[in-house]
Amino acid sequence: MSFINYMAREINCKIVYYGPGLCGKTTNLQYIYERTNPDAKGKMISLATETERTLFFDFLPLSLGEIRGFKTRFHLYTVPGQVFYDASRKLILKGVDGIIFCADSQIERLEANQESMDNLRTNLAEQGYSLEKIPFVIQYNKRDLPNIVPVEELRELLNPMAVPDYEANARSGMGVFDTLKAVSKLVLTELKRGG
Amino acid sequence: MVNPQMVMYEEEFNQIQTVVDRLVKEANAKVVFIVDKNGQLISASGDIDNLDTTSLASLTAGNIAATGGIAKLLREQEFAAQFHEGQNANIHIQLVGNRVILVVIFDAKSSLGLVRLRVRKATDELNRIFEALLSKVQEPGSDSPFAEITDEDIDNLFND
């Protein structure tokens, strides 16, 4: 749910990175954090376990610039990917304006991707949202690894709706900003339509 | 419409800010702020210059969301108030109208009793203001400044 503040002339939107455990959601945020001008970002918060697995969420506030005199701010969140943190994932999806599904391209994670995508649909439906209606893009991450599934196959499995999708390597940053820009554009376009 | 917008207008913003400013004084608090349940900061007052209010807002909302999840599991509707006691700072968190969160940070100059008393009064006032605000926001998009933005405006944001 976007928040328009006429007083502060600000518009705030919430973007959530979803995907299976260890697919690189936090790495996406870390890359964005490292590569963003200090004026345009706030502190990055990670609620993680001692072994750096996301426990509740990561949070990164970003300013994109002005549109018609309104500052656009995006709050980026990741969900914990591990299956048993489902209750937390549901909470983080509340009020979401746009979703990035981060898929792990490795052959052995194919099933985990599918499971996480199904879980996303279920959790959205519980809150009365649907993937068909919400700004949504997909990122095929870890394209630098040797044991990966061809993009066509991933697309067939995960992207039947043919939403914008991007190949990425979040460690090096390839595709990270492309994915974020794509979802941000969709969110702003949705706002324009009054959504 | 899947995702209704929250909109804040000048009139209600000023009313909210008045309540928040007064609460800082009346409760002898260090900081008072209001966040919506999605973690967006609505209003803040007090000693906020050296405080990362954006992060605080997001974490407070996360906290309320987690507590709400626990309440649901216990078949409680909601835990409307929370209190965390630290060595120097204490924090009192109150749900207002199940819509926004009122946070009071205070130290030894105040007390939990005083804070709770003042928060209760402020909660009633805030409830009224937010009700009025919600009834005002009927057709989002109709007067949205974003209704007229062009694809070019959006593209320009990303041309850096």
Side-chain angles (χ1 to χ4, degrees):
Chain A
M1 183 179 63
S2 55
F3 173 33
I4 302 178
N5 189 334
Y6 282 87
M7 187 63 195
R9 298 196 75 73
E10 268 178 21
I11 172 91
N12 292 281
C13 304
K14 177 174 180 177
I15 309 279
V16 172
Y17 284 75
Y18 214 91
L22 294 176
C23 71
K25 300 173 288 295
T26 302
T27 312
N28 263 274
L29 249 64
Q30 280 165 342
Y31 185 82
I32 294 164
Y33 180 77
E34 282 161 18
R35 291 303 169 100
T36 306
N37 190 324
D39 308 338
K41 69 184 174 193
K43 209 186 269 176
M44 178 167 165
I45 289 177
S46 286
L47 301 179
T49 65
E50 281 177 3
T51 52
E52 299 204 354
R53 302 296 304 269
T54 303
L55 179 63
F56 194 7
F57 59 77
D58 303 304
F59 169 70
L60 175 61
L62 278 187
S63 297
L64 276 190
E66 286 197 8
I67 241 184
R68 301 262 162 144
F70 274 72
K71 282 176 240 153
T72 53
R73 293 184 196 277
F74 281 79
H75 287 180
L76 312 185
Y77 285 83
T78 66
V79 297
Q82 295 178 84
V83 175
F84 57 89
Y85 288 136
D86 199 36
S88 304
R89 275 194 294 278
K90 287 181 193 180
L91 297 177
I92 292 153
L93 278 178
K94 280 187 184 166
V96 65
D97 292 302
I99 296 172
I100 293 171
F101 184 87
C102 180
D104 189 329
S105 296
Q106 297 177 92
I107 293 168
E108 63 268 27
R109 297 300 283 165
L110 204 54
E111 209 174 310
N113 289 325
Q114 182 66 64
E115 201 180 319
S116 176
M117 185 68 90
D118 292 345
N119 175 255
L120 171 60
R121 277 190 182 281
T122 310
N123 286 344
L124 279 175
E126 264 183 38
Q127 300 185 34
Y129 302 152
S130 83
L131 269 188
E132 282 75 15
K133 289 190 182 149
I134 206 159
F136 178 49
V137 302
I138 297 177
Q139 178 186 80
Y140 309 116
N141 194 20
K142 308 196 185 180
R143 296 311 294 173
D144 56 316
L145 296 182
N147 55 332
I148 52 174
V149 182
V151 168
E152 296 71 38
E153 210 173 303
L154 284 169
R155 198 170 271 153
E156 201 174 313
L157 184 77
L158 300 171
N159 195 6
M161 299 190 304
V163 298
D165 55 3
Y166 298 87
E167 292 185 51
N169 169 11
R171 280 250 164 92
S172 74
M174 179 191 101
V176 169
F177 277 101
D178 294 333
T179 322
L180 176 63
K181 279 178 189 178
V183 82
S184 310
K185 273 190 187 184
L186 291 178
V187 168
L188 292 170
T189 309
E190 188 67 21
L191 268 179
K192 181 182 155 184
R193 286 169 33 193
Chain B
M1 192 175 51
V2 179
N3 240 352
Q5 288 164 1
M6 167 130 180
V7 181
M8 178 61 65
Y9 298 104
E10 192 171 345
E11 186 187 351
E12 282 78 11
F13 180 87
N14 287 334
Q15 290 171 357
I16 292 165
Q17 192 64 42
T18 306
V19 175
V20 168
D21 286 340
R22 197 172 58 224
L23 185 56
V24 171
K25 288 198 198 92
E26 289 188 349
N28 265 345
K30 285 171 80 171
V31 174
V32 174
F33 60 91
I34 293 182
V35 193
D36 82 352
K37 282 181 103 180
N38 300 319
Q40 312 280 10
L41 184 70
I42 294 173
S43 169
S45 184
D47 191 11
I48 51 172
D49 287 346
N50 297 313
L51 208 58
D52 182 355
T53 45
T54 311
S55 299
L56 264 174
S58 154
L59 287 172
T60 309
N63 188 338
I64 281 286
T67 314
I70 295 170
K72 217 169 146 189
L73 291 175
L74 297 179
R75 296 193 182 85
E76 265 295 323
Q77 207 171 9
E78 197 77 70
F79 294 115
Q82 291 182 42
F83 172 58
H84 301 288
E85 189 174 2
Q87 270 192 330
N88 300 311
N90 311 303
I91 184 164
H92 184 276
I93 304 174
Q94 175 81 41
L95 258 179
V96 178
N98 211 12
R99 170 103 200 174
V100 296
I101 305 160
L102 173 61
V103 182
V104 180
I105 301 173
F106 61 99
D107 58 16
K109 287 186 199 129
S110 186
S111 68
L112 179 59
L114 178 66
V115 168
R116 286 175 74 162
L117 184 72
R118 300 302 189 204
V119 160
R120 204 172 301 147
K121 189 178 151 205
T123 302
D124 292 340
E125 284 179 73
L126 289 169
N127 245 330
R128 278 197 295 276
I129 300 169
F130 278 101
E131 295 254 314
L133 182 63
L134 286 179
S135 61
K136 210 167 172 178
V137 187
Q138 289 161 341
E139 274 297 305
S142 57
D143 62 346
S144 160
F146 290 87
E148 286 174 15
I149 57 171
T150 59
D151 291 344
E152 208 185 342
D153 286 333
I154 296 175
D155 281 334
N156 283 341
L157 265 188
F158 299 99
N159 289 340
D160 44 12

